Amino acid sequence: MIRATLPRLPLRALACAAMASVVLAGCVNLAPAYETPASPVPSALPSAGITTATPIDIGWRDFFVDKQLQGVIELALANNRDLRVAALNIERARAQYGIARADLFPTVNAGAAGTRSRTPGSLSTSGESRIASQYSANLGMTAYELDLFGRVRNLGDSALQSYFQTEETQRSTQISLVASVATAWLQLAADEQRLQLARSTLESQRKSFELVQRSHALGAQSGLALAQSQSTVDAARADAAAFDSQVEQDRNALALLVGTTPPPELLPTAATTADVAQLLVPPAGLSSNVLQQRPDVRAAEHALRASNADIGAARAAFFPRIALTASAGTASSTLSGLFTSGSKAWSFAPSISVPIFDGGANRANLQVAQAQQKIQIATYEKAVQTAFREVADALAERRTLAERLDAQRSLRAATARSFELSQSLFKSGAANYLDVLDAQRSDYAAQQTLIGLQLTEQTNRLAIYKALGGGWSEASGAAPQPSQGE
């Protein structure tokens, strides 16, 4: 009866040892309780001084109303190499988490072995040579750690938070990419307008020069007026050439961001003057806690959570480790008898390791983990402060943009009228050509400034959208939700 029950013991022992990981793993968690640091910024976002209150979780396809710009952004999301690297980093982090999580479970292997050996008679106790055979087949696990103090679980939690951090970093990368592509596209549109203005001004200057040249030939204009007219033509030529080069550089910069050359039908022209993006301004009194949903802030928080778990793993190193090694199977001196009755074999070898002296390595590792946690707290707080400043700066600029644009449009109308009047007076002989040149330069400068200010207004809309965490989701209401396990 005893022989009948003994073979069953190893199977039960192996099963119990395997289940011990579920029962005993993580019995104690030495990681400090996580608390989100207090927000180091005012409780409410600053007001823009206007009443627009569009939801801030609008998708980028709904935010950018220009179809050409939508197409360019779509190309960038499919081809940009930085975004590809960010996506591949997620795959790597997911795999690393899988490796860390696997340590929570015992590794069970199946094995089979066979040996034959011959002992010569001179070494045999019987004086005769002897051939010995041994065959075995078993299931076993080696040095599985019972996670009594949460060391393995905390290492797994740290890897999980690093994975979540990588996910948020990818989202932040996409937001930056969408913003950069839109900014480059808008810059190209503005420089196309500047180029067209420079070329039209050059054409006007050439006509004026021809008029002055004929007048000089008839003795009606001095050589000084002719030289001044020539200088304005050359200045306009230089401006046109410079903007022509700038437009080509803008196209190259846009192609780099997109990851491929955008087709001509998706590029802006000098006629692209309409609003290409919606105006999104948070309502007055909106809580600054909304900034905690920005991917870069969320990534910083996941890094802080990972540092908390690292402290738990470092603390667990001060406590004993229990490891289990066990196997169960069959063994026989003949291959045919491997699975016959009475061939069952088993082994069970638990071990315990108690840290006594390590030269201060465990204490140093704990100090490193605690210092890293403090670093991550400061990093998180800096991310929140940076987010608040970006929103505040964009809203501060928004408060005066309407007035600046209105003033610049009025100024441009005045310089255009002044130029027109100076030409009429010059043709009637009531003014000299220098007055015409001054009025033309003022009108040209006013138009260039107006183009730049219109670009500023459009990029400001984009800055507010980006600062509030927009640009990740494609459609409205599709903002990313917290990952499982947070």
Side-chain angles (χ1 to χ4, degrees), residues 66-125:
D66 188 278
K67 298 300 182 184
Q68 290 176 295
L69 180 52
Q70 286 183 4
V72 173
I73 292 175
E74 189 173 355
L75 276 177
L77 294 178
N79 295 283
N80 181 267
R81 299 320 192 259
D82 290 335
L83 198 58
R84 288 187 185 179
V85 170
L88 293 173
N89 283 336
I90 289 180
E91 292 186 16
R92 181 179 64 181
R94 184 187 296 117
Q96 289 173 337
Y97 167 60
I99 294 172
R101 186 173 182 272
D103 290 337
L104 290 171
F105 305 96
T107 300
V108 180
N109 297 308
T115 60
R116 284 177 62 84
S117 61
R118 180 181 182 279
T119 303
S122 59
L123 298 178
S124 174
T125 55

Side-chain angles (χ1 to χ4, degrees), residues 400-414:
T400 61
L401 270 174
E403 183 178 355
R404 291 163 61 190
L405 278 168
D406 184 66
Q408 190 61 36
R409 291 190 181 102
S410 178
L411 175 62
R412 199 272 145 163

